Amino acid sequence: MIIGEHRPSKLVIDREAIRHNIREEVQRLPKDCELFMVVKANGYGHGAVQVAAAAKEAGAKGFCVAILDEALELRAAGFDEPILVLGVVEPEYAPLMAREKVSTTVAAEDWLAEADHYLKLSQPKEPLRVHLGLDTGMGRIGFQTPAALQHAVAFLAEHDTVFTFEGMFTHFSTADEASADYFHKQVERWDAFMAAVPDKPRYVHVTNSATSLWHADHNINIVRYGAAGYGLNPSGNTLKPPFELQPAMSLVSELAHCKQLAAGESVSYGATYTTTKAEWVGTVSLGYADGYERRLQGFHVLVDGQPCEIIGRICMDQFMIRLPHQYPRGTKVTLVGRNGGAEITLQEMAEYCGTINYEIACGFTARVPRRYTH
Ligand SMILES: *Cc1c(COP(=O)(O)O)cnc(C)c1O
């Protein structure tokens, strides 16, 4: 997708906020526990390579991604830290991962048998680093019983020229919720898995942002730190973080057009909004093709420190707002972030859209340029 360089709409990413959110967490970790910054989905929309660099400066010792291509992007950018792919990669890419020293998640023993075939065919110099995923109740990927885990561990031991048993982990599905009942059920299953493997691999890990913020006693030797690193509260507004999370992402633009409409004039597709008196209307060059969701009709942006309602439907590339009076073209418009004394957070946008802050952050498309401060 073409990047809109010649348009005033841009995402501004504050690297210092990311460093702050990571430093605060690193300070809380036990001595032998490392923070791996999760930079999947282009760093939750913030830009994976830039985030990885800021994270490294703040003390991150490795990275997690969702898909192999995201790991290769980091390697191509020169990062030589450990990188773990959290999703299942097709076994035919096992030799590529081995060569690139990318650690992979394994969720089933037949995967190992297939990967073994490909690794023996292409004989990479390095063994493939394997983290065994354990399903303790997320129901997504992973071994389901301690017996299945023991089998996989035995397979790795028998094939130690092509595999390195580097890690085992699980993922909690409710660590961001007020009730800890389901969380404890998952912990119990995790304990049974642990008891089945006396010789632990180098990395044993269970914590995402929510778990490390609110169940810190479960940190083992990696924290897979995502949302909180970007200043996003993983619980929305439900739980209060133990330190201040600073949002790293703002979205700004400028008025592309400003005009007065007489009473009884309508705005945008479907003519869903009609003025009741003479009104000043501004146009902003951003739309749902940029990830500025159509569902945001009726929400607001900030101009001159004041909330201005989004009127009429959001178009693919533009939308309209009601202004208190005339403003010149080029006046700053803040869609996310601070403007004057006011602020719009990704969380507020998410609530308006009936979703979570994560989805809004990673939903901004490649057309919106990312600019970095600090
Ligand atoms: C995305 C992901 C994380 C990071 O989660 P946050 O809530 O953003 O901290 C950690 N572990 C796994 C397995 C994930 O898929």
Side-chain angles (χ1 to χ4, degrees), residues 108-109 112 132 134-135 142-155 168 189-197:
E109 197 172 331
L112 287 174
L132 297 176
L134 307 175
D135 186 359
F143 293 90
Q144 285 168 298
T145 62
L149 168 64
Q150 280 172 330
H151 253 219
V153 171
F155 187 101
M168 49 202 281
R189 289 191 182 163
W190 167 257
D191 290 342
F193 278 118
M194 286 303 96
V197 181

Side-chain angles (χ1 to χ4, degrees), residues 267-269 272-273 297-298 309-314 319-320:
V267 173
S268 197
Y269 292 116
T272 60
Y273 178 85
Q297 176 173 354
E309 186 184 334
I310 297 170
I311 55 174
R313 290 198 182 136
I314 290 177
F319 67 88
M320 277 63 81

Side-chain angles (χ1 to χ4, degrees), residues 196-210:
V197 181
D199 289 329
K200 301 290 188 292
R202 159 119 196 251
Y203 295 120
V204 179
H205 48 111
V206 302
T207 40
N208 56 359
S209 295

